[in-house]
Amino acid sequence: MTGWRPVIVVASANGEVGMDAAWAILERGGSALDAVEAGVREVEDNAEDHTVGYGGYPNLLGEVELDASIMDGSTRAAGAVGALRGYRHAISVARAVMERLPHVLVVGDGAARLASELGLAREELLTAKARDTWRNGLDRSPSDAGGDGSLVERVQSVIGDIFDPELARQASGTHPAPGGTVNFLALDREGHLASAVSTSGWAWKFPGRLGDSPLIGAGNYCDDRYGAAACTGWGELTTRACTARMVVAGLASGQTLPEACGAALADLKGLEPGEPGGRGYVNLVAIDRSGRHLAASTKEGTEYVWRSDGMDRAERSPRSLVVA
Ligand code: ASP
């Protein structure tokens, strides 16, 4: 490719800690794929972010299970891991699935085996702070009012057999808001796009639950010919609607970014049963092949971060499209 081309990186707001790392790669002419991985790794290292990587909130049993995916827009190759335990850089394991295995998605013990064979350091991902929040959340659960013992007691009494129709639902509805994920999208000087998503998923989830983040087409999609999109929020909705793929398919059919993102979010209407707990929202970040970008949400007041040529630092902005 000849001539100067603009570069851009866009992330969910919690990606702010990774923007410098991603930008440094793009600015020196590195690949979008390297940039999104580097950005996500910084977030996975951030113990204060309880929705991604080290320090993430655990599942119902107190185990941190990570999901991540990465996609190369130049080839539409993709890699993902789900329910990965014991390794903080889920995004790098996802990249290894893409580049070293003839597969797209590897989960559980298989994902941990791959991480180990890659030489990554095994560690406990549950920090003391996240453990306290997990236990407090269980203690404060709605079942306390029901006189059947606290949820933490119930969980402890049934470890090994935790299925109770109400248990996972009640536990995951506890304070604080159980969601969160990081998205990174980038366009490099060669005109290639890449997208990356990493999460500890829905806190207090049923063990083994996968959200949209490791599912190509649901929480992450990228195609150099048209654009890229990634989601945060209630993965059960975007999984059912293939939301990220729908945005890119909209761009492919000639829609503008606002049209494509608006249609994808509008398509979620009617899927939400209206549960309490604030999970009923979805956020999107998207870029097109020219580097135009848009961040959208089904609720007011959410932000994202972005940086393109001519900016001396990443900017935090409100998501400009709201499809309530
Ligand atoms: N989308 C993530 C999931 O469903 C959670 C979130 O972003 O809030 O696992």
Side-chain angles (χ1 to χ4, degrees), residues 51 67 178-183 197-203 205 209-214 219 231-239 279 281 283:
T51 69
D67 302 335
T181 295
V182 67
N183 298 155
V197 179
S198 185
T199 189
S200 50
W202 182 339
K205 61 194 171 188
R209 174 267 186 186
L210 302 183
D212 58 334
S213 306
C231 305
T232 59
W234 195 355
E236 273 69 8
L237 302 192
T238 51
T239 293
R279 285 192 303 282
Y281 67 90
N283 303 317

Side-chain angles (χ1 to χ4, degrees), residues 259-282:
E259 288 168 349
C261 292
L265 292 184
D267 188 56
L268 299 170
K269 286 183 181 168
L271 296 184
E272 181 185 346
E275 290 184 17
R279 285 192 303 282
Y281 67 90
V282 167

Side-chain angles (χ1 to χ4, degrees), residues 7 9 18-39 41 95 186-189:
V7 296
V9 56
M19 289 299 276
D20 286 350
W23 184 256
I25 290 169
L26 291 176
E27 192 179 34
R28 65 168 185 259
S31 74
L33 203 57
D34 287 344
V36 294
E37 181 187 9
R41 284 175 63 97
R95 185 166 179 178
L187 173 68
D188 66 28
R189 296 230 186 269

Side-chain angles (χ1 to χ4, degrees), residues 75-89:
T75 56
R76 283 178 285 158
V81 290
L84 170 67
R85 293 189 204 161
Y87 297 88
R88 67 171 67 187
H89 290 131

Side-chain angles (χ1 to χ4, degrees), residues 3-322:
W4 185 88
R5 298 185 63 110
V7 296
I8 183 166
V9 56
V10 180
S12 50
N14 59 340
E16 199 161 11
V17 298
M19 289 299 276
D20 286 350
W23 184 256
I25 290 169
L26 291 176
E27 192 179 34
R28 65 168 185 259
S31 74
L33 203 57
D34 287 344
V36 294
E37 181 187 9
V40 167
R41 284 175 63 97
E42 296 290 322
V43 187
E44 290 172 337
D45 282 337
N46 180 10
E48 295 307 311
D49 188 326
H50 298 298
T51 69
V52 178
Y54 179 74
Y57 287 140
N59 66 16
L60 192 52
L61 297 178
E63 303 156 333
V64 180
E65 291 185 332
L66 304 181
D67 302 335
S69 64
I70 192 162
M71 190 159 184
D72 178 349
S74 65
T75 56
R76 283 178 285 158
V81 290
L84 170 67
R85 293 189 204 161
Y87 297 88
R88 67 171 67 187
H89 290 131
I91 198 65
S92 297
V93 189
R95 185 166 179 178
V97 172
M98 176 174 80
E99 293 180 338
R100 302 190 191 200
L101 292 178
H103 306 310
V104 170
L105 175 59
V106 174
V107 303
D109 290 346
R113 169 182 285 270
L114 176 59
S116 164
E117 292 188 18
L118 290 169
L120 303 185
R122 183 172 173 81
E123 63 186 328
E124 175 55 72
L125 301 180
L126 185 66
T127 58
K129 200 167 162 188
R131 182 186 293 111
D132 286 350
T133 307
W134 167 69
R135 288 189 60 93
N136 290 340
L138 295 183
D139 283 334
R140 278 202 306 271
S141 71
S143 72
D144 286 352
D148 294 320
S150 72
L151 255 175
V152 75
E153 286 165 357
R154 289 170 64 196
V155 167
Q156 284 168 344
S157 71
V158 293
I159 281 189
D161 181 10
I162 63 167
F163 180 68
D164 168 331
E166 285 305 309
L167 190 58
R169 181 178 298 270
Q170 289 180 354
S172 61
T174 55
H175 180 81
T181 295
V182 67
N183 298 155
F184 264 85
L185 309 177
L187 173 68
D188 66 28
R189 296 230 186 269
E190 298 293 320
H192 297 310
L193 292 165
S195 55
V197 179
S198 185
T199 189
S200 50
W202 182 339
W204 296 270
K205 61 194 171 188
F206 197 90
R209 174 267 186 186
L210 302 183
D212 58 334
S213 306
L215 301 181
I216 297 302
N220 185 357
Y221 201 76
C222 183
D223 182 335
D224 271 11
R225 297 172 299 175
Y226 311 117
C231 305
T232 59
W234 195 355
E236 273 69 8
L237 302 192
T238 51
T239 293
R240 291 157 66 195
C242 299
T243 302
R245 177 73 171 116
M246 189 170 171
V247 171
V248 177
L251 296 174
S253 72
Q255 290 179 339
T256 63
L257 273 172
E259 288 168 349
C261 292
L265 292 184
D267 188 56
L268 299 170
K269 286 183 181 168
L271 296 184
E272 181 185 346
E275 290 184 17
R279 285 192 303 282
Y281 67 90
V282 167
N283 303 317
L284 273 178
V285 286
I287 55 180
D288 69 14
R289 59 194 289 269
S290 308
R292 286 182 286 257
H293 76 279
L294 184 80
S297 181
T298 58
K299 73 173 182 185
E300 301 278 355
T302 61
E303 295 183 323
Y304 73 108
V305 287
W306 62 288
R307 183 168 179 181
S308 62
D309 291 297
M311 297 167 67
D312 60 5
R313 67 176 68 83
E315 190 171 309
R316 202 174 170 106
S317 306
R319 293 178 190 254
S320 60
L321 178 69
V322 176

